[in-house]
Amino acid sequence: MIPTKTARRVAAVLAVPALLITAACGSDSKDDAAPKNSEPVAEVSGKFGAEPKIEIAKDAKVSDKVVASDVSTGDGAEVKKGDIVRLDFAGNIEALGSTWAQRQGADPKAPRAQVVQEVGTQGQMLPTKVADALTGHKVGSRVQVEGTAEAIVGEQLNPQSGIKPTDPLVWVVDIVNAKKVDKKGEVKGDQAASEAGMPEVKAASQKAATITIPKGEKAPNDLKEQVLIKGDGAAVKAGEGLVVQYTGVKWEDGKKFDSSWDHGGASAFPIGVGGVIQGWDKGLVGKNVGDRVLLTIPPNQAYGADPSNQLAKNNLVFVVDILGTV
């Protein structure tokens, strides 16, 4: 799993932890889930692709199980456990978050940052049980997921959120896309030699890449990128979900700080919308599916001087295999 920028684990590339939860987002157990045709109590208006309006009566009694039902049904493929989904969502209270909210400082003409999450695993923005409730629903559907805070979040409910265990929580989720991902996928092809002054890369199959910093070379002051293997897939667009294998090391000591191979294989995240470090947004948008990309990223396009981050002030080097988009 890719942690958030502010997480204590190194290697963060995703942003914005939810206010609702303190750690894990609940289990993926189906024991707490009601049938998806159970009767919801919230009223939802608005069409798929537009910000929804959520209303719930003060005396409404929400289920103590997780209730999921279609507000409108799409005609795409059914979501399955293990799929990577790209979606929009809004909650009935501010603490639940919303992809419709404009990110501070974001270009209003740029694509919004949507959620990219694997169904069946702990997520960064949606509680696990909310994402799991999308299983069996079709791409293009608007799905209403509700239940008590205790039913959906359980022991991980953040006491600072001001939400009580019996409070009703409602998420309205638009399933924009879904795709099955090969967690062991990797880019194939003849790899070019690194350019002068760039780190050397050896990428053994099914393992984290070995990245060797050139001796005596100072880290570049600006973002540098090189396509080591040229793919023939579609160009990556801002706003898409990007599926990759990656390995990262610090230029200063050459030590690996993270790799997707070290925690389950291929990872996915929104690209080009400020949800990842700037060097990834700039260096990967416009590349092609099937590319293997070498990036050297200065601190001002990585984690800056944030004293809470272990990678603050470091120049970072990544090797990224672009496996697909969602």
Side-chain angles (χ1 to χ4, degrees), residues 252-263:
E252 285 73 11
D253 58 14
K255 290 183 179 180
K256 181 183 70 173
F257 58 83
D258 193 42
S259 175
S260 56
W261 293 106
D262 294 340
H263 46 82

Side-chain angles (χ1 to χ4, degrees), residues 247-288:
T247 300
V249 305
K250 293 180 287 184
W251 183 287
E252 285 73 11
D253 58 14
K255 290 183 179 180
K256 181 183 70 173
F257 58 83
D258 193 42
S259 175
S260 56
W261 293 106
D262 294 340
H263 46 82
S267 301
F269 51 88
I271 191 70
V273 290
V276 296
I277 58 175
Q278 190 179 108
W280 281 54
D281 275 346
K282 288 186 174 182
L284 298 179
V285 170
K287 298 299 188 293
N288 294 84

Side-chain angles (χ1 to χ4, degrees), residues 11 16 36 55 57 63 92 111 121 176 211 219 223 243 264 279-281 314:
V16 194
K36 66 179 181 180
E55 296 178 297
S63 175
N92 66 315
T121 64
V176 179
I211 303 171
L223 173 70
V243 183
W280 281 54
D281 275 346
N314 284 121

Side-chain angles (χ1 to χ4, degrees), residues 11-300:
V13 286
L14 267 182
V16 194
L19 298 175
L20 174 68
I21 50 181
T22 55
C25 299
S27 72
D28 60 358
S29 170
K30 301 303 178 186
D31 295 341
D32 294 330
K36 66 179 181 180
N37 61 352
S38 296
E39 193 67 28
V41 299
E43 294 290 334
V44 177
S45 56
K47 294 183 179 180
F48 180 95
E51 185 173 7
K53 183 178 181 181
I54 306 169
E55 296 178 297
I56 183 168
K58 290 183 179 180
D59 59 350
K61 184 173 176 56
V62 72
S63 175
D64 59 1
K65 302 289 185 181
V66 181
V67 176
S69 58
D70 281 358
V71 177
S72 61
T73 302
D75 57 5
E78 284 192 358
V79 175
K80 296 179 174 60
K81 186 174 181 179
D83 283 356
I84 301 293
V85 291
R86 177 162 59 91
L87 52 87
D88 278 304
F89 81 93
N92 66 315
I93 57 175
E94 186 177 357
L96 304 189
S98 171
T99 58
W100 302 101
Q102 186 68 34
R103 185 175 299 204
Q104 187 176 7
D107 181 350
K109 297 181 180 180
R112 286 180 296 103
Q114 296 172 314
V115 171
V116 178
Q117 183 165 326
E118 181 179 343
V119 177
T121 64
Q122 179 182 325
Q124 298 291 339
M125 291 294 291
L126 285 182
T128 304
K129 289 181 182 177
V130 175
D132 283 359
L134 304 179
T135 303
H137 296 265
K138 293 183 177 181
V139 172
S141 296
R142 168 162 284 185
V143 183
Q144 176 177 341
V145 183
E146 62 180 51
T148 62
E150 184 175 22
I152 294 178
V153 184
E155 295 179 355
Q156 276 70 47
L157 181 64
N158 186 347
Q160 296 181 349
S161 68
I163 300 171
K164 298 189 294 292
T166 56
D167 283 349
L169 301 183
V170 182
W171 282 262
V172 176
V173 182
D174 286 359
I175 307 175
V176 179
N177 204 353
K179 185 177 289 186
K180 184 67 176 177
V181 170
D182 178 6
K183 301 289 283 186
K184 295 184 178 181
E186 56 189 353
V187 163
K188 304 290 186 181
D190 294 331
Q191 180 173 300
S194 297
E195 296 170 354
M198 291 285 276
E200 180 186 351
V201 176
K202 293 182 179 179
S205 180
Q206 303 294 299
K207 293 181 180 179
T210 299
I211 303 171
T212 304
I213 306 301
K215 291 183 179 180
E217 289 282 348
K218 291 184 178 180
N221 291 325
D222 298 313
L223 173 70
K224 290 195 67 176
E225 53 192 77
Q226 181 186 354
V227 176
L228 298 176
I229 296 177
K230 180 64 177 174
D232 57 5
V236 175
K237 298 177 182 178
E240 291 184 317
L242 191 64
V243 183
V244 300
Q245 301 284 9
Y246 69 91
T247 300
V249 305
K250 293 180 287 184
W251 183 287
E252 285 73 11
D253 58 14
K255 290 183 179 180
K256 181 183 70 173
F257 58 83
D258 193 42
S259 175
S260 56
W261 293 106
D262 294 340
H263 46 82
S267 301
F269 51 88
I271 191 70
V273 290
V276 296
I277 58 175
Q278 190 179 108
W280 281 54
D281 275 346
K282 288 186 174 182
L284 298 179
V285 170
K287 298 299 188 293
N288 294 84
V289 173
D291 283 357
R292 173 171 290 160
V293 185
L294 173 63
L295 300 172
T296 66
I297 305 175
N300 65 352

